[in-house]
Amino acid sequence: MRNLLCVGIVTILLGLSACSSDETVIIEEEIISQPLKIDAQVLLNLVNDVRAAGTICGDTYYPPVDALSWNVKLEEAASNHSTDMYENNFFSHESPKGSTLTTRLQKVEYNYATAGENIAYGYTSEQQVIEAWLKSQGHCANIMNDSFKEMGIGRVGNYWTQNFGTQR
């Protein structure tokens, strides 16, 4: 709920700035619709700190597991999905055009033995989105899944996608 309120305030502020000139609106829309620079090292550290300590996801305890490494193909697939959600105004693991995690990973030529995905909307920082995923049993379980060896995250606007995998 708080995130939706923040988005509403941002929308109002963007609307007010849009009154100043049409050029401003175009520039703001172009900036927001591009993948936003994320701090991959911060994201990796946040995830790996939890994996190293072990945690409780919902009512299930997950013991410590090995650290993940960053994978640029997983990042690319994640960014592509965040872009798709942003541009087509949906929030789901499957796009209205039918793309799935499997097809997105095939497109970036990530040949995997196992893979998973978390998505989120409305968060404005690396810390916020990881904290939110950790509060959700299913998302947290993905973060703690010992079968996953790599991850990549993409963000467009406030659409986040976290992809996990282990290559064949």
Side-chain angles (χ1 to χ4, degrees):
M1 186 69 85
R2 187 171 131 234
N3 290 328
L4 294 178
L5 177 61
C6 291
V7 171
I9 291 170
V10 170
T11 302
I12 291 168
L13 292 174
L14 288 176
L16 291 175
S17 68
C19 295
S20 62
S21 80
D22 291 336
E23 186 176 320
T24 303
V25 173
I26 293 168
I27 292 169
E28 287 173 351
E29 287 176 2
E30 287 174 4
I31 291 170
I32 292 172
S33 67
Q34 298 300 314
L36 295 174
K37 182 161 176 52
I38 56 173
D39 192 327
Q41 193 59 56
V42 166
L43 289 161
L44 200 55
N45 289 346
L46 289 167
V47 167
N48 284 333
D49 287 350
V50 173
R51 286 174 65 92
T55 194
I56 297 173
C57 300
D59 57 0
T60 303
Y61 173 73
Y62 287 82
V65 293
D66 292 337
L68 297 173
S69 59
W70 193 264
N71 182 283
V72 294
K73 289 183 178 183
L74 291 173
E75 177 184 13
E76 181 181 359
S79 293
N80 291 345
H81 187 52
S82 291
T83 298
D84 189 22
M85 288 191 292
Y86 176 86
E87 289 178 352
N88 294 296
N89 195 30
F90 73 95
F91 182 72
S92 176
H93 292 281
E94 184 173 337
S95 82
K97 297 176 184 175
S99 84
T100 64
L101 175 60
T102 298
T103 60
R104 290 188 289 275
L105 294 180
Q106 288 170 344
K107 183 177 180 181
V108 298
E109 299 179 351
Y110 185 83
N111 189 11
Y112 65 94
T114 186
E117 179 175 80
N118 288 340
I119 58 174
Y121 174 77
Y123 301 97
T124 58
S125 74
E126 289 84 355
Q127 291 80 4
Q128 286 179 347
V129 75
I130 297 297
E131 286 173 12
W133 281 327
L134 290 171
K135 290 178 184 173
S136 162
Q137 186 168 357
H139 296 101
C140 180
N142 273 344
I143 289 171
M144 293 303 296
N145 188 329
D146 193 34
S147 297
F148 300 142
K149 304 303 178 198
E150 302 173 311
M151 78 168 200
I153 296 178
R155 175 186 178 195
V156 176
N158 286 326
Y159 288 91
W160 296 78
T161 303
Q162 179 180 38
N163 286 336
F164 301 94
T166 299
Q167 296 185 57
R168 289 186 193 259

